[in-house]
Amino acid sequence: SVPRCYLNKQLATMRVLKGDPAELSCTVSKDNVTGTWFKDGLKLTSMDGVIFENKGLVHKLIINKAEDIHAGKYRFEGGDVKTEASIFVEDPPQVDKVLLKNLTSVPTVAKAGEGLKLQIPFEGRRPIRATWLKDRMELGDDTRIRVDKTDTCTTLSISSCDRRDCGDYKVRLKNDSGVLEINLKLVVIDKPQPPAGPIKIVESSANNITIQWKPPKDDGGKPVQRYLVERQQVGRNDWETLGETPRSCTSFTTSKVEEEMSYYFRVRAMNAEGVSDALESGEVKAAGKASPGAPDPPEIISASRDTITISWKAPRKTGTSQITGYIVQKRKKGTVTWLPATNVPVKDKKLKVTSLKKGVQYEFRVAAVNAAGTGQPSDPSEPAFARDPTKSPGQVQDLKVSSSDSTSVTLTWNKPEVQDGNGVKGYEVEMRPCNSLSWTKCFTLPAESTSCRVQGLQAREKLFLRVRALSDSGPGEASELEACAGAAAPVVSPRLLIDDTVKSFLVIKAGNPIRVKIPFEGSPEPVVTWLKDGLPLPSRAAVSTEDGSTQLLLRAAEFSDSGTYTVELGNGLGKRETFSFQVQITGIPEPPGAIRLEENVPNTVTVTWDPSASEQWEKNLYYTVLKRESQKGLWHVLGDLIYNNKFTFTRVVPGRDYYFRVMAKNDLGASDPSETVQPWRIWKTKAEFRVKAPKYRGVNQNQPPRILVPLKPHVVVTGSECHMSCAVGGHPPPKITWYKDSRDLSRDPNYFCTNDFGVCSLVVLGVTKQDEGEYMVEASNEVGRAFSKAFLAVKGNS
């Protein structure tokens, strides 16, 4: 017997981009097999752009350039074998590559006040939805900005550009085959804003006036080249140009001033686009000749039984001429009369005042002298006694180490005994290592402090410490002891103590605080680092680490705070540990846009609406559609958990009014509704208009059913609608039955079937992945039957 022919390799279903080559091939077990190719059930003898090839055991169908007409189900038959596969032609949005490179690689530059039109032509399977976004928000039409779209082009028009229009833009082109996103940058250049004020008067004397300002907050997109400085004398109308300064200099000094005269100043910034508006100063008066200001109170240097030595500093304001000397005055404490301490001004800034009475307290003040006269006197000095110095304070009592650890030692002591009324003014603490003879000052403490902690020591380090009391007559004798730091704490590897209270995924409502507290352990104390998406935290974030825990706090969450947060521990010894968690910022959704109603299928209404603005940031957004049958009736839910922007209501009763409402929802709640204003009605067909054609029969011309236009394969996105249709002939009119994978769909409510004068349609509402498969329409009458098949492919919503 002749061996049977069988398949070594079957045909394989494929997806191909429009314009790309496609090839279906199968391998049989015998040579010289005559093969026949079919498309959508029809035998192929020739087809534009299609080549049939047979080399040995391999049979191929080759498409040089795939077009929409090439989409469908193909079958190869030869000998005893049969194999089928489908070709899906995808045609996502595309933009010319040269135009795309020009748009994305070089910023678009426009001048302020001028119009701008960005036009992007595109190709792809229609319909293509075009969306323009700026800073993640969709652009809509307003008084300046307009977005236009045709079947082949989208255009952004700005009637008059300004600096607000600068930024990153995104054009999103989307159809059933995919999404194309184009990122471009717009730069608007303008003259600068005025310099930042106010104008500060740095100096105003009889000879000079110096003004200072800050650079403009916005340089107009072009660097500032220089500043123009002008002046107007108070009482006059004309402005005088004083000069220019380079961009790096934001101050100007003019010597063209008259004593006691008042002026206004103004400054303008200039760039390549022009000159800014002016920043004006208040009234500035040139000073006349002025005497010096008051010095600070003099200080007491030393005292004896009949002398007191004082010193002072020059006043901050020296007047309009050089200081030539100082007037020194004295008075007994409790009196009001000031007496000169010398007969002539003192040129030095130190004076030993003599001829004082022993045991009396004195106060002193000084005034500077220049060519304009004697300035204001200083405030009085601290009172001082005219008497011999007292003895130094005694030693501190009971100096000891009260506690210690591996890095510090704590000292305590008691005050020394008071000698001759010489009170303690403070304490000085010093230290030296055991291997050194040099003492280092650690602290100077007030008289109230009788303890201190010396830190920064090494474990088991030995050192010497000493403390001495301080008084007006100098330091007292030191008390000294030897101390030793404690042993080092054991090394504990850094570890984050993650428990059930620390969540790995947080959903936070916008405006609420983000507060995450994570305990940890480790010795030595680990270094804690927080990151967001691998980068340092935003400046609004506050991190506090203490007592074995670290906390992240953002007081008011923003949508930009969504992301991955990481806390990292390190101990400087190479040991590290990290923990990451996700934060999703959400909020009550914005309402959907305008609602549109269409009767795509007889006695149904398809509700479509513009997406909620919250789709930009909310991943779990869905829609609910409701209806009521009178203007004041109750609302009833028609569909929920809808993830696209379309819903079809099939149980429409002709002659009845319907109102529709759509709400956007997420885990936090529902938006305000969008509603139709006018009612929707399908009018009843009145009886008098139903005209029944007279039956005319000649010779009995019964014909079996035949498929006039076959079904075509479809590729749709999850959640959308699919319309399948074909044309059927035959007499008597055939009965139409639809099947999916051999299952009768007549009673399935998820499918809507119609037959209008031989045009048979099947509507799949809200397509899911389960709707993918082979569909068949069967036409049958008393004379015979016919059928057509097509494959429905379902893609995920991208």
Side-chain angles (χ1 to χ4, degrees):
S1 63
V2 178
R4 293 188 60 183
C5 180
Y6 57 88
L7 280 169
N8 288 336
K9 178 186 174 185
Q10 296 186 346
L11 297 179
T13 294
M14 66 181 300
R15 299 179 185 275
V16 62
L17 289 176
K18 186 176 181 179
D20 285 357
E23 180 180 291
L24 292 176
S25 69
C26 63
T27 305
V28 298
S29 61
K30 294 175 61 176
D31 285 331
N32 303 321
V33 171
T34 301
T36 305
W37 291 88
F38 297 83
K39 179 179 182 292
D40 297 329
L42 300 177
K43 182 177 178 179
L44 286 177
T45 55
S46 64
M47 186 176 182
D48 289 344
V50 177
I51 301 171
F52 307 110
E53 183 180 283
N54 174 212
K55 291 183 179 180
L57 305 179
V58 180
H59 294 261
K60 293 184 180 181
L61 182 146
I62 301 171
I63 301 172
N64 293 325
K65 186 176 181 182
E67 301 292 342
D68 289 336
I69 62 170
H70 296 127
K73 177 171 282 190
Y74 290 81
R75 185 171 80 250
F76 173 81
E77 293 183 4
D80 302 319
V81 300
K82 181 190 297 185
T83 178
E84 290 184 341
S86 295
I87 293 180
F88 299 105
V89 178
E90 308 227 336
D91 191 8
Q94 297 184 64
V95 172
D96 180 74
K97 292 182 179 179
V98 175
L99 173 61
L100 192 62
K101 183 177 180 182
N102 291 339
L103 286 172
T104 57
S105 61
V106 180
T108 301
V109 180
K111 289 192 175 185
E114 296 183 358
L116 172 71
K117 181 174 288 188
L118 286 173
Q119 190 174 67
I120 302 179
F122 52 76
E123 297 176 345
R125 180 172 293 129
R126 301 176 186 174
I128 295 178
R129 180 182 175 190
T131 308
W132 289 76
L133 300 99
K134 181 178 183 290
D135 301 328
R136 300 175 62 191
M137 299 300 293
E138 184 173 348
L139 290 176
D141 294 347
D142 61 21
T143 54
R144 292 190 312 111
I145 299 176
R146 180 179 176 85
V147 176
D148 295 302
K149 175 188 170 294
T150 66
D151 288 340
T152 60
C153 180
T154 181
T155 305
L156 173 67
S157 304
I158 304 177
S159 60
S160 178
C161 293
D162 63 36
R163 291 283 291 162
R164 292 173 299 169
D165 299 320
C166 290
D168 295 323
Y169 289 74
K170 177 180 288 187
V171 184
R172 181 179 293 150
L173 303 174
K174 181 177 180 181
N175 68 2
D176 286 347
S177 296
V179 178
L180 174 64
E181 290 189 343
I182 305 169
N183 294 305
L184 51 94
K185 192 176 189 68
L186 174 61
V187 177
V188 179
I189 56 176
D190 195 2
K191 66 181 183 181
Q193 288 187 352
I199 291 179
K200 183 179 179 182
I201 309 304
V202 178
E203 179 187 359
S204 177
S205 66
N207 302 315
N208 298 297
I209 294 179
T210 300
I211 62 172
Q212 190 177 65
W213 60 92
K214 295 179 182 178
K217 293 181 179 178
D218 183 3
D219 63 4
K222 291 279 190 176
V224 172
Q225 297 172 338
R226 57 187 179 273
Y227 297 96
L228 309 179
V229 184
E230 298 172 286
R231 182 185 71 182
Q232 181 189 61
Q233 186 173 318
V234 172
R236 295 185 178 178
N237 294 325
D238 57 320
W239 286 86
E240 172 190 1
T241 300
L242 296 179
E244 300 179 353
T245 69
R247 58 175 295 183
S248 59
C249 181
T250 55
S251 64
F252 186 86
T253 299
T254 176
S255 59
K256 299 178 182 179
V257 296
E258 300 179 24
E259 289 184 31
E260 305 291 340
M261 188 64 69
S262 295
Y263 302 94
Y264 297 108
F265 292 88
R266 69 183 183 189
V267 184
R268 302 174 190 265
M270 176 183 286
N271 68 3
E273 295 301 309
V275 181
S276 73
D277 294 336
L279 169 68
E280 294 193 16
S281 73
E283 185 175 330
V284 183
K285 186 174 183 180
K289 290 184 178 180
S291 55
D296 290 336
E299 296 182 357
I300 307 300
I301 302 299
S302 62
S304 68
R305 68 177 61 194
D306 59 358
T307 65
I308 296 177
T309 302
I310 62 173
S311 69
W312 59 91
K313 296 179 181 178
R316 294 180 182 85
K317 295 182 179 180
T318 59
T320 55
S321 60
Q322 187 175 0
I323 292 176
T324 58
Y326 296 90
I327 301 295
V328 182
Q329 295 176 312
K330 65 183 178 180
R331 73 179 179 186
K332 296 177 182 179
K333 185 180 178 182
T335 64
V336 295
T337 303
W338 289 95
L339 301 174
T342 60
N343 295 324
V344 293
V346 179
K347 293 188 178 181
D348 200 1
K349 291 190 283 292
K350 184 176 181 180
L351 177 66
K352 184 176 183 180
V353 183
T354 60
S355 303
L356 303 177
K357 289 185 178 181
K358 180 181 177 181
V360 175
Q361 265 189 312
Y362 289 90
E363 295 174 322
F364 302 90
R365 71 179 185 181
V366 294
V369 180
N370 70 0
T374 302
Q376 291 292 317
S378 69
D379 291 336
S381 68
E382 292 290 328
F385 284 97
R387 64 186 179 191
D388 290 329
T390 54
K391 295 180 180 179
S392 299
Q395 283 185 310
V396 299
Q397 305 295 308
D398 302 324
L399 177 64
K400 61 183 179 182
V401 176
S402 62
S403 65
S404 66
D405 57 29
S406 61
T407 60
S408 68
V409 170
T410 300
L411 299 178
T412 60
W413 62 88
N414 292 325
K415 293 182 178 181
E417 296 179 359
V418 178
Q419 299 181 0
D420 299 331
N422 188 13
V424 174
K425 300 296 185 182
Y427 298 95
E428 183 179 81
V429 182
E430 298 174 293
M431 64 171 282
R432 71 174 177 86
C434 291
N435 58 358
S436 173
L437 298 177
S438 176
W439 289 92
T440 302
K441 183 186 292 185
C442 301
F443 307 101
T444 300
L445 305 173
E448 300 78 27
S449 297
T450 57
S451 67
C452 74
R453 186 183 181 195
V454 181
Q455 297 178 286
L457 307 179
Q458 300 295 323
R460 300 188 183 280
E461 179 183 359
K462 290 186 178 181
L463 70 158
F464 291 95
L465 297 165
R466 70 184 184 187
V467 181
R468 69 175 82 230
L470 305 176
S471 72
D472 290 338
S473 58
E477 185 179 352
S479 293
E480 183 177 328
L481 57 71
E482 183 178 4
C484 180
V491 175
V492 177
S493 296
R495 187 165 70 95
L496 292 161
L497 305 177
I498 307 299
D499 56 19
D500 292 341
T501 63
V502 182
K503 307 295 185 184
S504 61
F505 186 79
L506 300 175
V507 178
I508 306 294
K509 184 178 179 181
N512 286 356
I514 302 175
R515 181 180 285 106
V516 180
K517 188 172 185 179
I518 300 177
F520 62 86
E521 64 179 13
S523 180
E525 183 84 7
V527 177
V528 181
T529 305
W530 284 84
L531 302 170
K532 177 182 180 289
D533 297 327
L535 300 173
L537 294 177
S539 58
R540 299 184 300 105
V543 173
S544 58
T545 302
E546 60 183 2
D547 298 331
S549 68
T550 180
Q551 177 175 275
L552 167 69
L553 175 63
L554 289 105
R555 298 190 180 280
E558 300 177 0
F559 293 117
S560 60
D561 293 328
S562 293
T564 301
Y565 290 78
T566 302
V567 59
E568 180 181 272
L569 294 183
N571 64 357
L573 304 176
K575 298 286 187 179
R576 310 185 79 82
E577 180 164 338
T578 62
F579 171 72
S580 297
F581 57 93
Q582 297 282 335
V583 174
Q584 174 66 46
I585 308 302
T586 186
I588 301 295
E590 295 292 321
I595 297 176
R596 294 173 293 278
L597 304 174
E598 299 174 355
E599 187 181 4
N600 295 326
V601 177
N603 292 333
T604 70
V605 57
T606 297
V607 184
T608 60
W609 57 92
D610 293 329
S612 163
S614 301
E615 280 194 20
Q616 306 296 328
W617 49 262
E618 178 57 70
K619 296 180 180 178
N620 299 321
L621 187 78
Y622 61 92
Y623 297 94
T624 297
V625 179
L626 306 94
K627 62 94 176 172
R628 66 181 180 188
E629 298 180 5
S630 67
Q631 199 160 10
K632 296 184 179 180
L634 296 177
W635 290 101
H636 298 279
V637 175
L638 293 180
D640 200 8
L641 295 173
I642 300 169
Y643 289 91
N644 60 357
N645 306 122
K646 183 186 290 186
F647 179 82
T648 298
F649 175 46
T650 59
R651 298 185 297 277
V652 177
V653 178
R656 186 173 296 174
D657 288 344
Y658 291 93
Y659 295 83
F660 293 92
R661 165 185 281 184
V662 182
M663 294 187 293
K665 292 183 178 180
N666 63 8
D667 295 337
L668 290 182
S671 71
D672 293 334
S674 292
E675 298 180 0
T676 57
V677 179
Q678 299 298 325
W680 173 268
R681 171 182 290 187
I682 298 176
W683 297 99
K684 290 182 179 179
T685 305
K686 295 184 179 180
E688 56 267 30
F689 290 102
R690 293 185 178 178
V691 179
K692 197 168 184 180
K695 292 185 178 180
Y696 174 78
R697 289 280 181 93
V699 180
N700 183 1
Q701 295 182 345
N702 286 354
Q703 294 180 348
R706 62 189 184 280
I707 304 297
L708 302 178
V709 178
L711 293 177
K712 291 184 178 181
H714 287 70
V715 180
V716 298
V717 177
T718 302
S720 62
E721 294 180 0
C722 177
H723 298 255
M724 292 186 173
S725 61
C726 65
V728 177
H731 190 82
K735 175 187 176 184
I736 303 299
T737 307
W738 288 86
Y739 299 89
K740 176 186 179 292
D741 298 329
S742 302
R743 178 171 63 87
D744 189 343
L745 303 179
S746 301
R747 298 184 179 276
D748 192 324
N750 294 317
Y751 301 90
F752 187 75
C753 310
T754 61
N755 180 8
D756 294 326
F757 304 105
V759 178
C760 307
S761 298
L762 175 72
V763 180
V764 186
L765 305 173
V767 172
T768 66
K769 197 65 178 177
Q770 287 71 32
D771 293 319
E772 188 171 74
E774 185 179 68
Y775 287 77
M776 182 180 78
V777 59
E778 181 187 58
S780 61
N781 63 11
E782 59 193 33
V783 185
R785 59 190 291 269
F787 64 89
S788 177
K789 297 180 181 179
F791 193 82
L792 169 61
V794 180
K795 294 176 58 180
N797 194 352
S798 58

